Amino acid sequence: MSRGERRLLLRSRVALVTALVVALGIIVVSVFAWFGADLTMRRQIDASLQASSPVKELTTPGPGGVLPDPEELCGREQEGQSYQKFIVGVQLVRPDGTTCCPKGVDKVRIWHNGRDDMALPRFRDGVTVSRVGVRVLAEPLGGGYTVLTSRSMSDVRDTLRQLGTVLGVVAVLGVVVAAASGLLLTRLALRPVERLTKTVEHIAETEDLTAPVDVRGRDEIGRLGRAFSRMTTALAESRKRQQDLVADAAHELRTPLTSMRTNVDLLVRSEKTGRPIPDDQRRALLASLQDQATELGDLVGELVVLARDERETEHVPVPMDAVVNRAVERARARAQGHVFEVRSEHWTTVGDQGELERAVLNLLDNAVKFSPPSSTVRVRSAEGEITVADAGPGIAVGERAMVFQRFWRSPSARSLPGSGLGLAIVAQTAAAHGGAVEFVEPLDGVGATVRLRLPVERPGL
């Protein structure tokens, strides 16, 4: 995806959405403002029509208690009468539907469909004969007469037209400003995302998991950057472990493969040259090949165990007393002549039963390998820990931390069979189950004692 496409999908889209939201808000506010202004001005005109209506004077008795004649409103009154001040927008509707108005007043068009036609509404919009929009107040006088007081709406419509123009300009400017501001703010807000994207692209192109990730802030983008940094760190460590495992495995596999090749070459050369190998030497070569094949198979199996992902480990309740007893039975079958002194209490942890049994068996095999024949291997299993003690030569304090590394073997043990992976598997299993393994000082000062610690599952907690 190109940089322009990314902008279209993210920056421009956010700016467009921002502009649309602002435009919608401005339109809603403008519509309400326009209709509010229209309603307010109409109410003001209605109030002025009501204040200037001649109905009150036409219904007030004059001297002698005689009511004024409504027809005088149309210009037949004597000169000097006070009705002349109402001639600006006054019109009289007679009972027969005909109308009259003072001289010079633009007559309002009405539609008379019956005697109740002028009853409702009191205020209405109308138009004069000269097609001028007016606001009309209709008030009954009695005797079938109705007075129409009107006022031109030209000034109101001009004001509303100007207001609409102003609101339209403000809306356009608001949308433009909102879009520009949204685009600018989006660019500023997404700048960390752009940096993170460049880092991700660099890692994807170069496969350099050690590339630094520029992480700033504590917002969602900062959290994303830190999470990505942790992910690349974990991947880099996983890759390094795999590379180290492959390198160590290649080194360790080279020795048995070379020995096997040498023995096979001797057998093949003997067959090709027709010079038979003495029977005792031939039997020794075949026995050596068998031992080397077994050693190679064990090494491959242990490498497979070390290469397993921790996420493949099961997490189920495991009774450790049963695990210890099964591991002791398997070790006893493979270590003829050794005595296993076992004290096991019932306790439970959460994990993979097969891996835990393999770890305990590796501890027992290691104890048997370094113990004198017919010696005693003591096994103690109490809540949260398993201890295996042998009667061998022990291990130096400076070497206790290194024995759990892959393929590491002390100088005194290099002549003994084994791949140097047994204790490394124990350490990996312990770490995968939230525990640890270590060599501790033996209680009686003889041999070596290793302790495997594991978390205890307590029901109900």
Side-chain angles (χ1 to χ4, degrees):
M1 184 179 293
S2 65
R3 187 175 181 181
E5 290 175 337
R6 289 199 303 271
R7 287 182 177 177
L8 177 62
L9 290 176
L10 195 55
R11 294 178 179 176
S12 299
R13 181 172 293 185
V14 172
L16 180 60
V17 171
T18 303
L20 291 176
V21 171
V22 172
L24 180 61
I26 293 176
I27 290 173
V28 172
V29 172
S30 299
V31 169
F32 275 98
W34 192 89
F35 280 103
D38 180 51
L39 180 60
T40 300
M41 287 188 288
R42 284 178 179 275
R43 287 179 177 176
Q44 292 175 352
I45 290 177
D46 292 346
S48 66
L49 287 175
Q50 210 163 9
S52 60
S53 173
V55 171
K56 185 176 180 180
E57 295 191 23
L58 290 174
T59 56
T60 301
V66 179
L67 290 173
D69 183 4
E71 295 290 341
E72 295 179 358
L73 188 64
C74 295
R76 292 199 300 270
E77 70 276 6
Q78 297 293 326
E79 187 176 351
Q81 291 288 333
S82 59
Y83 301 128
Q84 292 293 330
K85 63 182 179 180
F86 298 113
I87 66 174
V88 174
V90 178
Q91 184 172 334
L92 182 66
V93 181
R94 300 186 179 95
D96 58 2
T98 60
T99 62
C100 66
C101 58
K103 295 178 180 180
V105 174
D106 197 2
K107 185 181 293 186
V108 177
R109 290 180 178 177
I110 61 172
W111 293 265
H112 186 71
N113 297 324
R115 61 181 298 180
D116 295 331
D117 186 63
M118 304 305 296
L120 290 174
R122 293 182 63 198
F123 294 98
R124 65 187 68 186
D125 292 327
V127 63
T128 65
V129 175
S130 58
R131 306 189 64 81
V132 176
V134 293
R135 185 70 170 166
V136 181
L137 170 62
E139 297 176 288
L141 280 178
Y145 286 95
T146 301
V147 175
L148 303 181
T149 308
S150 62
R151 178 177 171 180
S152 173
M153 295 290 288
S154 299
D155 52 348
V156 173
R157 292 176 178 174
D158 291 341
T159 302
L160 290 176
R161 190 179 300 109
Q162 294 175 2
L163 178 61
T165 302
V166 172
L167 292 176
V169 173
V170 170
V172 173
L173 292 177
V175 171
V176 173
V177 172
S181 301
L183 185 59
L184 177 61
L185 294 177
T186 303
R187 287 184 176 179
L188 294 176
L190 297 180
R191 188 170 295 171
V193 176
E194 185 176 356
R195 292 197 299 266
L196 181 60
T197 302
K198 291 181 178 179
T199 303
V200 173
E201 292 175 345
H202 171 75
I203 293 175
E205 294 174 358
T206 63
E207 298 185 0
D208 180 15
L209 295 175
T210 62
V213 180
D214 187 7
V215 180
R216 301 175 187 175
R218 296 186 175 274
D219 54 4
E220 290 79 1
I221 298 177
R223 289 176 55 194
L224 176 61
R226 286 188 291 272
F228 183 80
S229 179
R230 290 193 297 269
M231 181 189 70
T232 54
T233 301
L235 290 175
E237 293 176 354
S238 176
R239 174 185 287 183
K240 185 177 184 303
R241 289 195 298 268
Q242 291 177 355
Q243 292 173 345
D244 293 343
L245 180 61
V246 170
D248 293 342
H251 175 74
E252 293 297 325
L253 289 171
R254 188 178 295 114
T255 299
L257 286 176
T258 301
S259 180
M260 291 181 66
R261 177 179 294 178
T262 300
N263 293 333
V264 170
D265 287 344
L266 287 175
L267 293 173
V268 171
R269 187 180 299 112
S270 173
E271 292 294 329
K272 287 182 176 181
T273 59
R275 299 171 58 183
I277 301 176
D279 291 342
D280 56 344
Q281 294 183 9
R282 186 180 182 86
R283 285 194 295 271
L285 285 176
L286 293 176
S288 177
L289 282 173
Q290 187 176 22
D291 293 340
Q292 291 162 359
T294 301
E295 182 181 354
L296 188 62
D298 294 340
L299 178 60
V300 172
E302 291 173 342
L303 287 174
V304 171
V305 172
L306 284 175
R308 283 189 66 183
D309 195 324
E310 292 182 4
R311 291 173 294 183
E312 301 176 7
T313 302
E314 293 185 355
H315 291 83
V316 297
V318 178
M320 291 306 298
D321 53 337
V323 169
V324 171
N325 291 333
R326 281 194 298 270
V328 169
E329 292 299 323
R330 294 175 60 183
R332 185 179 285 120
R334 297 194 294 195
Q336 301 293 333
H338 286 81
V339 178
F340 289 87
E341 182 184 299
V342 183
R343 294 181 184 177
S344 179
E345 300 177 2
H346 176 73
W347 60 283
T348 304
T349 189
V350 175
D352 189 303
Q353 183 167 334
E355 291 188 5
L356 292 171
E357 184 175 337
R358 184 185 299 110
V360 176
L361 182 60
N362 285 353
L363 293 179
L364 296 175
D365 288 342
N366 189 74
V368 169
K369 182 169 62 175
F370 289 97
S371 296
S374 302
S375 61
T376 300
V377 176
R378 291 169 294 175
V379 183
R380 302 290 183 268
S381 176
E383 190 176 78
E385 65 179 38
I386 298 172
T387 303
V388 177
D390 60 42
I395 184 170
V397 176
E399 297 178 350
R400 290 179 180 177
M402 294 183 290
V403 295
F404 298 104
Q405 299 177 5
R406 293 193 301 266
F407 301 110
W408 189 91
R409 304 177 72 182
S410 64
S412 60
R414 291 175 183 172
S415 60
L416 298 176
S419 61
L421 293 177
L423 294 180
I425 292 175
V426 176
Q428 178 174 294
T429 302
H433 288 77
V437 61
E438 60 180 346
F439 276 92
V440 297
E441 291 293 334
L443 296 179
D444 52 7
V446 178
T449 301
V450 62
R451 177 184 297 153
L452 173 62
R453 295 182 181 272
L454 294 171
V456 180
E457 184 201 27
R458 302 186 185 278
L461 295 182

